[in-house]
DNA sequence: ACTAATATATAAACATACTATGTATAAACA
DNA sequence: TGTTTATACATAGTATGTTTATATATTAGT
């Protein structure tokens, strides 16, 4: 999808936090997860991803540690913090509202009484 | 909802086109429709709205005409064009993909096989 | 008269995404 | 062994769109 980045702007941080809610992960793997889950329709460019990780670290919503995978390759792993867990929990409520509102608007199934 | 603007960024143009798919409208009314449909959770600030209208006019996705409502008040109405109808039709397919992907990610109900 | 609601619009500041680029290691293959 | 591809991390500069703040004007209610 072209311009997918413009659509998911604002959601990037929560996509990352959602993944890290399931397991610790590293940048490249997270980009592959998004590619896989979206069936290649949505793409997070590396720049966007790494800048978002920096932002989340700065906000203390995630922490990081160096590790090695089974093959001995260096990986920079990220882990969600209690503050990050709180943020994603609150966001999930917002997402329900956003999803319902946008679906109503885009689907045209809303009523609005025009008085004039 | 705080920061709702950051979430709906990128969707603004399509929110407007969706409303104009139902009836011709004017800026202030559209902002009220969004407020009403979102139950005040999502807000399009005036600046965002009028700049989006300008952008859509420039892209020839909408046209405008001056009119008066029942009370004789001047209103600047906007109308969707065939080009605008085509754009919203295509976007609706994208929305299904975006909605499914984000809901999977946020809900955590996705599977990903980690090989290493 | 005064205040709130309705209505349109722009400038400056801010936030975040994208393109392009650079670096490095490991795996696959000829 | 040399080359290519995939994996992996990171930053500078640019583009785009939102927000805050501000300006202007009309209508409705008290």
């Amino acid at each position: 999808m072209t311009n997918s980045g413009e659509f998911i702007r604002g959601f990037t941080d929560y996509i990352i936090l959602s993944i890290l809610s399931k397991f610790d992960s590293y940048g490249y793997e997270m980009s592959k997860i998004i590619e896989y889950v979206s069936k290649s329709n949505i793409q997070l460019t590396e720049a966007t991803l790494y800048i978002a990780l920096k932002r989340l670290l700065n906000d203390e919503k995630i922490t990081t540690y160096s590790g090695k995978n089974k093959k001995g390759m260096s990986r920079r792993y990220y882990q969600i913090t209690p503050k990050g867990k709180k943020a994603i929990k609150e966001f999930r409520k917002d997402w329900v509202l956003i999803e319902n509102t946008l679906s109503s608007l885009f689907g045209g199934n809303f009523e609005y009484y025009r008085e004039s």
Side-chain angles (χ1 to χ4, degrees), chain A:
Chain A
M1 187 189 309
T2 48
N3 296 108
S4 71
E6 231 7 82
F7 295 139
I8 57 161
R9 187 188 167 118
F11 295 118
T12 311
D13 292 12
Y14 299 106
I15 291 174
I16 293 169
L17 291 177
S18 290
I19 293 170
L20 297 182
S21 290
K22 286 183 70 115
F23 42 69
D24 292 4
S25 187
Y26 52 94
Y28 189 78
E29 187 182 54
M30 286 190 265
S31 74
K32 290 290 153 195
I33 290 174
I34 294 157
E35 196 184 321
Y36 175 75
V37 174
S38 77
K39 298 183 181 74
S40 297
N41 288 303
I42 291 171
Q43 205 203 342
L44 264 192
T45 65
E46 287 152 60
T48 303
L49 186 69
Y50 288 110
I51 287 171
L53 287 169
K54 212 185 231 185
R55 192 163 52 230
L56 289 166
L57 280 170
N58 206 53
D59 292 348
E60 295 177 326
K61 288 174 184 157
I62 59 174
T63 54
T64 183
Y65 59 90
S66 288
K68 285 180 192 299
N69 71 358
K70 287 178 192 167
K71 292 169 189 162
M73 291 163 76
S74 286
R75 294 289 173 271
R76 192 165 163 77
Y77 285 94
Y78 294 92
Q79 186 170 47
I80 193 166
T81 65
K83 197 172 171 186
K85 281 180 192 170
K86 187 163 173 279
I88 187 67
K89 192 180 168 191
E90 279 166 19
F91 169 76
R92 281 180 174 132
K93 289 180 210 156
D94 286 347
W95 170 244
V96 175
L97 297 172
I98 293 163
E99 191 188 8
N100 287 339
T101 302
L102 294 183
S103 285
S104 287
L105 289 168
F106 297 147
N109 53 329
F110 61 89
E111 297 300 328
Y112 185 75
Y113 178 68
R114 316 177 82 188
E115 44 191 307
S116 57

